[in-house]
Amino acid sequence: MKRALGVGLAALLGAAPLAMASTEADDLERRAAESREVVRAFMQALKGELMRAMQEGGPVRAIAVCRERAPAVAARFSRKTGWEVGRTSLRYRNPANAPDAWERHVLESFEARRRAGEPAARLEHYEVTVRDGRRVFRYMKAIPTGGVCLACHGERLAPEVARALDRHYPGDRARGFRVGDIRGAFTIVQPLD
Ligand code: HEC
């Protein structure tokens, strides 16, 4: 819509509005590229903590690390960037990670795209939108379920893992996943005004 307007105006007025439209598109692409970079670093930090904990103390010990470290790492990236950086899911474990309406909609569209054949690892979505009356850039990238995730998110959990999860997450919905399923998504909000 915006671009069509830009091109129409450009035809009337010369090149300037076209340049403006392309600046807007460039800005969107730049914000998406920066979001991708932050997601990559965030994911690497989480994976590092998880793998270390699994190797040192097995999944029951690693649950404590996920519980304490995952929110702390998200908070560190949020502080560093000035954005909201986190994880969400349609079937979440921690209610603090429940999706808002926009995130739910995007997660549902990811499910539909995966059913249509797109691999979970390639699913992303971004746009400029309005939240609570303010313009924001929002970015989401799907998180595929890998083999290592099944110890705590799979269909068959070791009894001591299930017990530890029951204790900390009585409403846990993040079990029963298979390799290749969409476990959830990284989610970023960049304020624009
Ligand atoms: C040792 C157990 C364990 C393993 C292994 C594990 N997780 Fe989790 N996962 C958790 C716990 C505990 C939470 C809740 C963290 C919190 O309280 O914020 C969680 C939360 C999440 C969330 C945030 C949404 C939600 O459900 O609250 C995502 C996304 C996620 N895990 C993805 C993964 C992926 C992908 C893997 C494999 C690479 C993985 N997890 C492996 C225990 C685990």
Side-chain angles (χ1 to χ4, degrees):
M1 182 67 199
K2 256 185 201 132
R3 234 190 270 197
L5 188 67
V7 171
L9 279 175
L12 283 175
L13 303 173
L18 235 195
M20 253 170 63
S22 94
T23 304
E24 232 171 73
D26 288 350
D27 185 60
L28 200 68
E29 285 314 311
R30 184 177 52 77
R31 288 180 185 280
E34 288 168 353
S35 300
R36 268 180 219 119
E37 195 47 41
V38 167
V39 157
R40 197 192 51 74
F42 181 33
M43 181 165 63
Q44 225 167 36
L46 286 177
K47 264 221 169 121
E49 302 250 4
L50 176 68
M51 299 314 276
R52 215 167 22 249
M54 291 282 274
Q55 273 156 18
E56 282 167 9
V60 173
R61 168 78 195 112
I63 288 170
V65 172
C66 287
R67 211 162 67 82
E68 288 151 20
R69 295 298 305 148
V73 173
R76 175 157 59 83
F77 276 93
S78 298
R79 257 195 325 274
K80 223 164 66 176
T81 55
W83 307 336
E84 293 165 36
V85 178
R87 296 183 302 169
T88 187
S89 178
L90 289 173
R91 287 160 55 193
Y92 49 84
R93 172 154 288 161
N94 185 339
N97 297 327
D100 68 13
W102 186 86
E103 288 165 333
R104 174 170 295 281
H105 179 75
V106 173
L107 285 163
E108 282 165 357
S109 78
F110 283 171
E111 292 292 348
R113 285 165 62 183
R114 197 180 78 86
R115 279 195 300 275
E118 279 186 69
R122 285 228 289 275
L123 296 168
E124 69 164 7
H125 177 79
Y126 53 87
E127 66 183 284
V128 172
T129 178
V130 175
R131 190 187 62 171
D132 302 332
R134 307 190 85 102
R135 279 175 74 245
V136 287
F137 171 88
R138 301 194 74 167
Y139 174 90
M140 280 175 73
K141 179 166 177 53
I143 306 172
T145 306
V148 65
C149 319
L150 299 183
C152 299
H153 295 296
E155 296 180 297
R156 279 186 303 279
L157 306 184
E160 67 274 18
V161 170
R163 265 199 305 279
L165 290 173
D166 287 342
R167 197 162 58 244
H168 294 298
Y169 305 97
D172 186 14
R173 301 166 66 184
R175 303 183 197 183
F177 287 88
R178 297 177 185 187
V179 170
D181 284 349
I182 299 171
R183 176 55 270 274
F186 293 104
T187 179
I188 287 183
V189 183
Q190 302 184 14
L192 292 180
D193 317 310

